[in-house]
Amino acid sequence: MMGVTDKVWAALTSMIKLEDKVNRQSEAMKQQQQKIEDLTARVIRLESHLELLTRAAMLKQIKG
C-alpha cells in the first residue's frame, strides 16, 4: 500500500512542478511578446521619420 501512495504522491508533486514551469514559461513569453511589440512600434516610428526626412530632402533638391 505504501508503494502506491508514494507513486501517487510523486505523480502529484511532478504535476505541481510541471504546472509551475508552464506558468513561468507563459509569463516569460508574455514579456517577450511585449518587448517584440515595443520594438515593432519603434521600427514603425523610425521608418516614418526616415520617410519624412527623405521626402524633405527631395523637396529641398527640387526647390534648390
Side-chain angles (χ1 to χ4, degrees):
M1 189 70 162
M2 191 64 158
V4 173
T5 304
D6 289 342
K7 288 181 181 179
V8 169
W9 185 255
L12 288 173
T13 302
S14 293
M15 284 176 50
I16 291 169
K17 288 178 182 177
L18 182 61
E19 182 181 13
D20 182 55
K21 287 179 183 177
V22 168
N23 287 337
R24 283 185 280 150
Q25 286 297 317
S26 175
E27 187 58 38
M29 284 177 54
K30 287 178 187 175
Q31 291 174 355
Q32 288 298 320
Q33 182 63 32
Q34 186 60 50
K35 288 179 184 178
I36 289 168
E37 290 173 10
D38 291 345
L39 288 171
T40 300
R42 289 181 70 188
V43 168
I44 290 169
R45 286 194 300 274
L46 287 170
E47 287 175 336
S48 298
H49 287 286
L50 179 61
E51 188 174 331
L52 289 171
L53 290 171
T54 302
R55 287 184 184 185
M58 288 172 59
L59 286 174
K60 188 175 181 181
Q61 278 184 340
I62 291 171
K63 289 181 179 181

